[in-house]
Amino acid sequence: MVAAGLVLIAGGVGAEEVREKLAGELLVTMGAERLASMALEQVRRNQDIMLKAAKLPPGQEVKAREMQERVAAVIAEEFSWAKWKAEYTQFYATTFTEQELKDLLTFYQSPAGRTYVAKAPEIQKLAQEHVLRRMASVNERARSIQEEYKSRTAVLPAAQVEAPAAKP
């Protein structure tokens, strides 16, 4: 691995290109594509949960599901690994030095790093479920605040506007 980096430098490849290559290798080693795919699947599950929680009448539920499918397709397209891979590679290549990337690769290729990669999806799933539970609480509180403001504005008298007096 380190030898590959030395060959690249000796062959006239610049430091930026070396960092990009290392960053790409790091993302593969970290299982970034799998994590991105799992995150998209979790978004789908969250959409289903929110749709069920909305308790829409049957006719509206069908339309809402159709809309949800279209939105899900847009999300899948825009957040696909194919679209993000180059950008993520750049994020890592510009954030970390060459040595830091090498050190990260060493870690992720170690037994502890492989264990982390294997268990990261479960951590991600648990974290997303936690966020979803928190958002349910936030949404409930936001609805309460919204209802409070609706009731406040409903009791306000309409503005009285008098028409200007006609000129004789």
Side-chain angles (χ1 to χ4, degrees):
M1 158 73 181
V2 174
L6 293 174
V7 169
L8 288 172
I9 292 171
V13 176
E16 185 176 322
E17 289 84 4
V18 171
R19 284 195 318 273
E20 286 177 15
K21 181 180 181 338
L22 290 168
E25 186 176 341
L26 178 61
L27 289 170
V28 169
T29 304
M30 292 170 55
E33 182 174 4
R34 181 174 59 126
L35 290 174
S37 176
M38 291 178 70
L40 282 174
E41 185 54 39
Q42 186 64 41
V43 167
R44 281 294 279 242
R45 285 192 297 271
N46 292 349
Q47 285 180 318
D48 287 339
I49 290 167
M50 289 187 296
L51 184 61
K52 288 174 186 169
K55 298 178 183 172
L56 299 171
Q60 286 182 341
E61 185 175 341
V62 170
K63 289 179 183 176
R65 188 155 306 277
E66 288 172 6
M67 182 182 72
Q68 176 184 337
E69 290 299 320
R70 290 182 62 197
V71 170
V74 169
I75 291 170
E77 178 186 330
E78 290 298 321
F79 288 88
S80 71
W81 184 246
K83 279 195 174 189
W84 283 57
K85 182 180 179 181
E87 291 172 326
Y88 264 74
T89 300
Q90 280 299 307
F91 297 160
Y92 278 77
T94 58
T95 301
F96 296 104
T97 67
E98 180 179 338
Q99 187 57 53
E100 290 167 335
L101 289 165
K102 289 176 182 177
D103 292 345
L104 285 167
L105 271 166
T106 299
F107 167 73
Y108 281 105
Q109 292 168 343
S110 73
R114 287 192 301 272
T115 298
Y116 175 82
V117 169
K119 293 184 178 185
E122 182 61 25
I123 296 295
Q124 181 179 3
K125 180 181 175 222
L126 292 170
Q128 288 175 338
E129 289 170 357
H130 176 73
V131 167
L132 188 60
R133 285 191 302 274
R134 290 279 109 221
M135 286 309 298
S137 173
V138 167
N139 288 340
E140 185 61 36
R141 292 173 68 189
R143 273 192 289 276
S144 175
I145 292 168
Q146 185 180 26
E147 291 301 319
E148 177 187 330
Y149 275 86
K150 275 185 189 177
S151 68
R152 282 186 190 174
T153 57
V155 297
L156 295 176
Q160 298 294 322
V161 179
E162 292 185 25
K167 293 185 180 180

